[in-house]
């Protein structure tokens, strides 16, 4: 019989979610409105220490509203981290604006502040100042926020923080998602906590949050009939999903601990293997370790590659995944501008995300480590001895 499937990152309920959902049913709040939404928003604002939170149907929708809020319009340019999920940049194009992709730096794998600065200077000189800087905290690792905030202030360009993967991460003790003019969180099923699908927009500017809620509910003006003076969207979270979210917020810190424990386990049990490296937390950066990622350097690993590890895990019914393919390499963005030195391209070549769910058992973790070590010992997933250095 095949070993049971180990997922990369699967939902992990805390216990009270189902009760909250039953309560919503009992009161018939089965709608994108209701008391659970307000309670969830209050919990979010409290946890992230911001003045306002809007519970929305996805992180992607939250990014779309954030870009509208900072005034991005057709023909505008937005600086965006290249190494990220496509959902970071897609909303830029919904508005007819253009992403300008920027490479990562090596310490956090996030947008390189020095390149951002050069690009802004170049763009201003050519008469077109970028409208926003879209920063991502990849896999939960906080970006270099001090440098980025200084650039934002110097050139008066707002930061939109894509903290979809970074709920519970902090930089200099402050929560990721609370730095930018607007911050975005995702509650998709694979994230550190989930509402089955959903997202949130966070800000210290109360007016921006109330404007986002207005646009997210079809932009209805104050009138007895349906009156509209703006184009609206249908981006509000369901009260049912918010009921799940209330339960999930109570276990968020525990989930961070559990994901960090996975990372510590991998570090302890794999870092002696030749050519394998883990991303360290630079001083002041606290990662939720949403996903633990390794890089594999084939010139040091006797020829073992990221891909061979991935395929061997897959043969053992264990899901792992290459790092995000940089967006400037994606066919859909092939005409977009890009500035960089190849850091994200190399990470994409060599990087692998290991199963990282907070619900992994010790037995699961041991099983994963055993398979990875066997690849290095020259034994593949089905027990065949492979000539080291020749395969992969
Ligand atoms: C998941 C994710 C999003 C999108 O969030 P959804 O809630 O799935 O729409 C955006 N950016 C990053 C970096 C993500 O990982």
């Amino acid at each position: 019989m095949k070993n049971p499937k180990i997922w990369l990152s699967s939902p992990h309920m805390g216990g009270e979610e189902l009760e909250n959902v039953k309560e919503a049913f009992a009161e018939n709040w089965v709608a994108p409105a209701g008391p659970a939404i307000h309670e969830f928003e209050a919990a979010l604002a409290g946890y992230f220490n911001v003045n306002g939170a809007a519970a929305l149907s996805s992180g992607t929708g939250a990014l779309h509203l954030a870009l509208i809020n900072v005034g991005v319009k057709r023909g505008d340019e937005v600086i965006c981290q290249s190494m990220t999920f496509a959902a970071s940049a897609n909303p830029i194009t919904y508005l007819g604006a253009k992403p300008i992709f920027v490479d990562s730096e090596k310490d956090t794998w996030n947008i390189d502040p020095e390149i951002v600065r050069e690009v802004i200077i170049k763009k201003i000189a050519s008469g077109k100042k970028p409208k926003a800087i879209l920063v991502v905290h990849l896999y939960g690792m906080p970006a270099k926020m001090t440098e980025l905030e200084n650039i934002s202030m110097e050139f008066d360009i707002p930061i939109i923080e894509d903290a979809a993967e970074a709920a519970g991460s902090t930089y200099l003790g402050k929560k990721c998602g609370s730095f930018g003019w607007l911050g975005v969180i995702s509650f998709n099923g694979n994230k550190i906590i989930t509402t089955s699908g959903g997202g949130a927009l966070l800000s210290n500017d109360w007016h921006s949050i109330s404007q986002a809620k207005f646009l997210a509910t079809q932009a209805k003006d104050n009138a007895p009939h349906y009156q509209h003076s703006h184009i609206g969207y249908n981006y509000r979270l369901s009260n049912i999903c918010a009921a799940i979210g209330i339960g999930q917020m109570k276990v968020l810190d525990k989930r961070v601990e559990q994901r960090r424990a996975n990372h510590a386990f991998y570090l302890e049990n794999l870092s002696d293997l030749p050519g394998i490296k883990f991303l360290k937390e630079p001083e002041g950066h606290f990662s939720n370790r949403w996903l633990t990622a390794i890089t594999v350097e084939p010139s040091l690993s006797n020829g073992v590659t990221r891909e061979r590890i991935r395929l061997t895990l897959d043969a053992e019914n264990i899901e792992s995944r290459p790092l995000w393919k940089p967006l400037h390499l994606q066919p859909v963005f092939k005409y977009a501008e890009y500035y960089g030195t190849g850091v994200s391209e190399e990470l994409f070549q060599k990087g692998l995300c290991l199963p990282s769910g907070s619900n992994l058992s010790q037995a699961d973790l041991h099983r994963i480590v055993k398979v990875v070590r066997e690849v290095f010992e020259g034994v593949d997933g089905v027990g065949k001895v492979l000539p080291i250095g020749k395969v992969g």
Side-chain angles (χ1 to χ4, degrees):
M1 208 186 70
K2 240 184 163 184
N3 278 320
K5 175 94 179 177
I6 296 180
W7 298 97
L8 189 68
S9 177
S10 69
H12 188 184
M13 293 298 106
E16 77 162 52
E17 292 86 353
L18 190 56
E19 284 313 308
N20 297 348
V21 169
K22 282 183 186 159
E23 203 177 298
F25 267 73
E27 293 165 1
N28 203 29
W29 282 111
V30 188
I37 293 179
H38 304 296
E39 190 180 335
F40 185 39
E41 286 175 342
L44 288 167
Y47 182 88
F48 289 94
N49 199 18
V50 289
N51 289 332
L56 301 169
S57 55
S58 70
T60 310
L63 281 162
H64 189 185
L65 294 177
L67 290 159
I68 292 172
N69 190 271
V70 301
V72 174
K73 298 208 168 56
R74 184 164 298 279
D76 285 343
E77 293 183 336
V78 174
I79 293 179
C80 180
Q81 183 162 324
S82 182
M83 183 136 198
T84 180
F85 181 39
S88 302
N90 284 340
I92 299 171
T93 70
Y94 302 167
L95 294 164
K98 284 196 286 183
I100 307 291
F101 291 119
V102 167
D103 203 2
S104 296
E105 42 75 21
K106 289 182 177 165
D107 299 342
T108 72
W109 299 355
N110 291 308
I111 199 164
D112 186 326
E114 280 174 35
I115 305 178
V116 170
R117 196 164 203 290
E118 287 164 22
V119 172
I120 291 173
I121 290 168
K122 180 180 142 123
K123 288 283 170 187
I124 290 175
S126 74
K128 197 165 177 84
K129 183 167 147 180
K131 274 293 174 70
I133 308 166
L134 208 151
V135 176
V136 187
H137 306 296
L138 216 61
Y139 305 121
M141 180 63 77
K144 293 195 166 168
M145 291 313 296
T146 302
E147 289 88 335
L148 291 164
E149 284 188 315
N150 287 341
I151 293 168
S152 165
M153 279 187 286
E154 180 180 348
F155 297 101
D156 194 24
I157 301 174
I159 289 176
I160 294 175
E161 218 189 331
D162 180 350
E165 302 176 359
S169 298
T170 62
Y171 174 73
L172 300 179
K174 191 172 154 176
K175 292 265 162 36
C176 288
S178 70
F179 283 88
W181 176 252
L182 291 151
V184 168
I185 303 288
S186 167
F187 307 114
N188 195 25
N190 59 348
K191 298 287 156 63
I192 189 160
I193 57 168
T194 182
T195 59
S196 75
L201 190 62
L202 310 172
S203 183
N204 279 317
D205 181 52
W206 175 249
H207 180 74
S208 292
I209 294 299
S210 68
Q211 182 69 8
K213 288 181 187 173
F214 166 76
L215 292 177
T217 40
Q218 310 285 19
K220 290 177 212 147
D221 293 343
N222 202 1
H225 54 279
Y226 275 12
Q227 171 89 12
H228 304 276
S229 37
H230 295 271
I231 296 293
Y233 302 86
N234 185 2
Y235 279 168
R236 239 359 200 151
L237 187 68
S238 157
N239 190 69
I240 300 294
C241 296
I244 300 173
I246 292 166
Q248 288 277 280
M249 282 307 289
K250 293 187 183 159
V251 293
L252 175 50
D253 282 336
K254 199 161 138 198
R255 297 291 176 262
V256 173
E257 267 175 49
Q258 289 161 325
R259 298 237 177 195
R260 287 177 62 85
N262 290 339
H263 180 271
F265 182 89
Y266 286 130
L267 187 68
E268 183 170 335
N269 290 283
L270 295 177
S271 56
D272 63 307
L273 292 172
I276 284 202
K277 276 208 294 210
F278 288 80
L279 184 63
K280 289 199 194 79
E281 281 171 324
E283 184 80 31
H285 296 242
F286 177 87
S287 171
N288 68 6
R289 298 291 189 186
W290 171 55
L291 296 184
T292 290
I294 54 172
T295 55
V296 186
E297 177 53 61
S299 63
L300 302 173
S301 64
N302 299 329
V304 171
T305 59
R306 175 287 299 287
E307 202 49 15
R308 185 160 139 205
I309 298 174
R310 189 185 72 76
L311 291 169
T312 309
L313 287 167
D314 187 57
E316 293 291 325
N317 216 16
I318 298 168
E319 186 185 26
S320 64
R321 194 173 296 155
L323 300 196
W324 296 122
K325 180 171 183 172
L327 296 182
H328 72 274
L329 299 180
Q330 294 285 2
V332 73
F333 290 119
K334 78 176 163 204
Y335 298 113
E337 262 177 82
Y338 160 73
Y339 297 88
T341 56
V343 173
S344 60
E345 290 169 19
E346 189 180 337
L347 285 169
F348 174 59
Q349 289 302 319
K350 297 179 179 168
L352 186 69
C353 298
L354 297 172
S356 301
S358 47
N359 49 8
L360 291 175
S361 66
Q362 284 300 304
D364 292 336
L365 289 166
H366 282 281
R367 202 178 122 200
I368 297 158
V369 159
K370 183 166 173 280
V371 173
V372 175
R373 296 196 70 90
E374 278 172 0
V375 178
F376 280 79
E377 284 154 14
V379 179
D380 80 350
V382 284
K384 226 174 5 179
V385 176
L386 297 168
I388 286 182
K390 293 233 171 83
V391 186

